[in-house]
Amino acid sequence: MRRMGGVLVVATLLWGHAGYAQAYQRTVHFPTQGEEATVAGTVEGDEVVQYKVPAKVGQFLLVGGHAKSAHVSFWVHDPGGVEVYNSKVQNAAYIGRPEQDGTYVVGVFLRKADAARGQAAFFRLRFSRKSLPEG
């Protein structure tokens, strides 16, 4: 019984580590004079490709997703880690007004059934930050 407990502890640690390895983050860099940026990549299996997007109160934040596969989705988390959006359809878009300054995180993933089959899909995200007019 003691041996089984040790095996379960090791398996739990390895599973947790493997889950962590499936998500990685990249920062979205906006050109010095621009308010728009585009990223592209491939998402495969159960991985979550994440992008950090700095945003401030007084801006609109737009995230437009494009993929040929209808199985690609994305979510948006605010700086506190709360999910503020989760796409349900292909080529969806999020438009929001940040309620706090900080880094928003956008995660691209495959829907569960496709992830379980180990499928891969190309995606493109367009980010836009527009300042609201004063007044």
Side-chain angles (χ1 to χ4, degrees):
M1 185 67 169
R2 178 177 230 169
R3 182 178 215 173
M4 181 59 104
V7 169
L8 287 175
V9 169
V10 171
T12 302
L13 290 172
L14 288 173
W15 179 260
H17 181 67
Y20 179 77
Q22 295 297 323
Y24 55 92
Q25 293 184 342
R26 294 185 175 120
T27 300
V28 175
H29 297 283
F30 292 85
T32 306
Q33 298 298 321
E35 296 177 328
E36 294 186 7
T38 301
V39 298
T42 301
V43 62
E44 183 175 349
D46 62 351
E47 75 180 342
V48 178
V49 182
Q50 297 181 19
Y51 294 94
K52 299 186 294 186
V53 185
K56 296 181 179 183
V57 172
Q59 295 179 327
F60 276 110
L61 176 62
L62 170 106
V63 181
H66 176 74
K68 289 182 180 178
S69 170
H71 309 293
V72 177
S73 296
F74 71 91
W75 46 251
V76 178
H77 289 181
D78 71 10
V82 175
E83 186 175 274
V84 295
Y85 179 77
N86 194 320
S87 66
K88 303 289 185 210
V89 296
Q90 183 179 5
N91 301 329
Y94 164 78
I95 300 173
R97 294 175 64 171
E99 295 182 4
Q100 56 185 310
D101 291 353
T103 301
Y104 286 70
V105 179
V106 177
V108 181
F109 62 96
L110 292 174
R111 300 203 177 124
K112 287 183 182 183
D114 301 296
R117 289 192 293 270
Q119 293 186 344
F122 176 80
F123 67 88
R124 181 175 293 118
L125 293 176
R126 181 175 153 244
F127 298 92
S128 181
R129 297 181 302 188
K130 304 280 185 189
S131 295
L132 297 173
E134 302 221 6

